[in-house]
Amino acid sequence: MNQTQTVSPQVSVIVPVWNPGPGINRCVESLRGQTLEDIEMIFVDDCGTDGAMDIVRAAAAEDPRIRIIANAENMGPGSSRNAGIEAARGAYLSFVDADDYVDACFLERLFAKAVAGQLDIVKGRICYVKENGAQAEHLELNDEIRKGIQLDKPLFCLFNYQHQSAIYRRAFVMDNNIRYGTSRRTQDTTFLLKACHRAERFDLEDTAEYHFCEHNNSLMHDTNPHTLKRMLHGFQEQMDYIVETMADEDKVSEFVKWQVYYALRLCNYFSRKQGCVEAANHFAIDLRQQVLRFPQLENLKNESFIVRVLCDYGVALSHRPFKLPWEGFLVENYVETIQKWAGFIKGHPECANVAEKDLCRLYREAEALCIKEDTHLPRPLVHDVKKICRINNDNKGKKIRALVAKIPLARPLYKAVHQWSEKSHIQPMQD
């Protein structure tokens, strides 16, 4: 194997290192074993304490392609990657997390496709790996990107996570001043927003696989309330970029909706953790203020997704985009949420067209839970829902009503479904 360092390598691999644990060994070896040999590996020491950099330094003594950059203090993954970008010399940039690993041909396949098509970005495939080594189920993002491109959706609305699975032309990154966000959360989404907004040539390579290792200390297991502040900081960075460079683009709302969905998902998760409820409620209010600061995005308030952000009780409503009920979501929780949602619609008639659909979904889920638990929703609540929802006489509505009417236990739903509108084009995001 040729391990000679060249002045201008084909790919620079940037790896921020902060307490990755034993996974650093597999990460280093998977990079050193790449079939594309003309690479440099830039490990950014972010002042960790687990001895991971000792392993990197030992490998660097054997492999001149390894370079080490040391932060003066802990800067977080985004700023560490930015330091790597400034130091990189390769034609393309790759970003690998210190506890993940890649297939031996990962860089070779991506680089070959990038050069052949003179691409700004070429994305491989991510495989999610559980702690026991088993492959986890996940959405095939590459397939979703292909579908979205066929529907003429902008790339920044489609490729908004899995940044590690791609390589990026360095000249393109430098010329457009594309950098990671400084927030310790969602800094990768900030980078992808900028890169995908500016990219003119993009393609996918499914045979290049990156292995993302899931751990119990991941974000969705983090119960530190400071995570919400970091999330809001990242969202603010993205919104600043949108307003400065993209406010006139028709499809920018798709990206904002996706980010609000993710933020509310995190907010809802934290609202169920002991000691985090107050922080989650403050986060929901701050998120609402972030959206409302920008008059260019005023049109978003009439879309059901952003309606939830406009509510002061955003935490209670944030469960709606998911395949729920959440485990432990009780009838009384549904009653409280439906009451607040109905009250919001009464106070904001301009949002009624798109809000009724969510209200009816809530009602149907609540009624189904009542049937399961042999109980009933309060009569005044049922009356409110029936009064708010509009009558829909289209063919699709008739089919739904006919189907529901045939189910004896579901007959209490009949009148609500009878008045359910399906006219909104807004669809819930997939989990």
Side-chain angles (χ1 to χ4, degrees):
M1 179 183 294
N2 180 14
Q3 293 186 345
T4 303
Q5 175 65 66
T6 61
V7 177
S8 300
Q10 293 172 321
V11 178
S12 296
V13 186
I14 299 168
V15 186
V17 182
W18 183 80
N19 295 346
I24 187 65
N25 292 282
R26 185 166 52 183
C27 175
V28 171
E29 292 309 310
S30 74
L31 294 177
R32 292 183 65 188
Q34 288 295 295
T35 55
L36 181 69
E37 297 179 354
D38 187 11
I39 64 174
E40 66 174 353
M41 294 160 274
I42 302 174
F43 288 85
V44 184
D45 181 359
D46 200 22
C47 305
T49 58
D50 68 347
M53 286 306 303
D54 293 338
I55 295 171
V56 176
R57 282 187 278 269
E62 302 174 354
D63 193 333
R65 299 175 301 169
I66 295 178
R67 300 168 58 195
I68 296 175
I69 297 175
N71 291 338
E73 59 183 1
N74 178 255
M75 301 291 290
S79 296
S80 295
R81 293 188 188 105
N82 289 339
I85 291 173
E86 298 298 333
R89 300 174 297 199
Y92 279 81
L93 303 175
S94 171
F95 303 95
V96 174
D97 290 346
D99 52 355
D100 296 338
Y101 62 99
V102 293
D103 282 357
C105 55
F106 176 73
L107 293 176
E108 181 179 16
R109 290 177 176 174
L110 290 178
F111 182 74
K113 191 151 197 172
V115 171
Q118 297 183 325
L119 303 175
D120 296 324
I121 306 173
V122 56
K123 182 188 181 306
R125 178 176 177 268
I126 275 195
C127 298
Y128 291 88
V129 182
K130 297 180 180 180
E131 284 191 299
N132 61 7
Q135 184 168 321
E137 294 184 4
H138 63 283
L139 178 70
E140 287 290 353
L141 181 59
N142 288 11
D143 292 343
E144 297 301 311
I145 291 175
R146 289 188 179 93
K147 293 176 184 176
I149 290 174
Q150 291 177 351
L151 296 173
D152 197 31
K153 291 186 177 181
L155 183 61
F156 61 81
C157 291
L158 304 169
F159 182 18
N160 41 34
Y161 64 105
Q162 296 188 357
H163 70 112
Q164 314 98 315
S165 62
I167 62 173
Y168 310 83
R169 188 165 59 86
R170 184 168 68 90
F172 156 73
V173 170
M174 301 302 290
D175 291 346
N176 289 283
N177 194 30
I178 298 169
R179 298 294 187 274
Y180 283 82
T182 58
S183 169
R184 293 175 185 265
R185 296 293 185 189
T186 73
Q187 15 70 35
D188 51 333
T189 304
T190 304
F191 176 85
L192 284 176
L193 169 64
K194 298 175 181 179
C196 293
H197 176 231
R198 298 293 187 184
E200 296 180 357
R201 296 179 296 276
F202 169 85
D203 207 346
L204 297 159
E205 178 52 68
D206 290 339
T207 64
E209 293 192 344
Y210 180 106
H211 298 269
F212 181 92
C213 299
E214 298 180 340
H215 304 288
N216 287 332
N217 61 351
S218 66
L219 173 60
M220 291 310 291
H221 293 88
D222 186 356
T223 58
N224 185 346
H226 290 295
T227 297
L228 292 170
K229 294 182 180 179
R230 294 166 180 168
M231 179 76 186
L232 191 67
H233 179 202
F235 183 72
Q236 181 177 352
E237 288 183 323
Q238 295 147 25
M239 294 291 280
D240 287 344
Y241 177 80
I242 285 171
V243 171
E244 292 171 4
T245 65
M246 303 167 63
D248 294 331
E249 298 189 17
D250 293 337
K251 297 179 180 178
V252 69
S253 63
E254 291 297 319
F255 175 85
V256 177
K257 286 193 295 182
W258 188 89
Q259 278 302 91
V260 173
Y261 156 75
Y262 181 75
L264 287 178
R265 175 181 180 179
L266 183 67
C267 186
N268 191 42
Y269 170 80
F270 270 84
S271 70
R272 299 172 185 278
K273 295 297 180 181
Q274 185 176 5
C276 296
V277 176
E278 183 178 354
N281 277 286
H282 283 302
F283 175 80
I285 294 172
D286 290 342
L287 185 64
R288 172 174 61 93
Q289 293 172 343
Q290 278 295 320
V291 173
L292 293 179
R293 324 173 15 211
F294 305 113
Q296 297 94 326
L297 300 175
E298 183 71 15
N299 64 305
L300 291 179
K301 73 179 183 181
N302 288 329
E303 299 191 20
S304 63
F305 208 79
I306 305 300
V307 165
R308 298 182 188 92
V309 186
L310 299 177
C311 299
D312 287 336
Y313 42 86
V315 172
L317 295 176
S318 63
H319 74 284
R320 279 303 310 127
F322 313 110
K323 298 174 182 177
L324 289 184
W326 286 76
E327 183 178 354
F329 204 69
L330 306 176
V331 171
E332 50 264 36
N333 300 131
Y334 272 112
V335 169
E336 179 183 4
T337 303
I338 291 173
Q339 286 173 336
K340 291 179 177 179
W341 197 221
F344 176 78
I345 294 174
K346 291 177 182 178
H348 298 79
E350 73 278 6
C351 301
N353 287 343
V354 291
E356 290 168 7
K357 185 175 180 179
D358 286 321
L359 177 63
C360 289
R361 280 205 186 96
L362 277 170
Y363 181 84
R364 290 165 61 213
E365 289 178 2
E367 192 67 88
L369 186 59
C370 285
I371 293 172
K372 182 178 178 181
E373 298 186 0
D374 193 25
T375 185
H376 301 281
L377 291 173
R379 189 176 297 275
L381 183 68
V382 176
H383 177 73
D384 271 353
V385 173
K386 290 163 59 177
K387 186 176 180 179
I388 290 172
C389 290
R390 294 171 292 123
I391 296 176
N392 178 23
N393 290 318
D394 62 13
N395 291 332
K396 186 174 183 180
K398 290 179 181 178
K399 291 180 181 178
I400 294 174
R401 293 194 299 275
L403 179 62
V404 172
K406 293 179 181 179
I407 306 174
L409 291 177
R411 282 175 184 162
L413 286 172
Y414 179 79
K415 291 185 179 179
V417 176
H418 175 70
Q419 297 169 337
W420 176 34
S421 170
E422 278 284 344
K423 292 182 180 179
S424 172
H425 68 282
I426 302 297
Q427 296 294 327
M429 302 288 287
Q430 291 188 358
D431 195 2

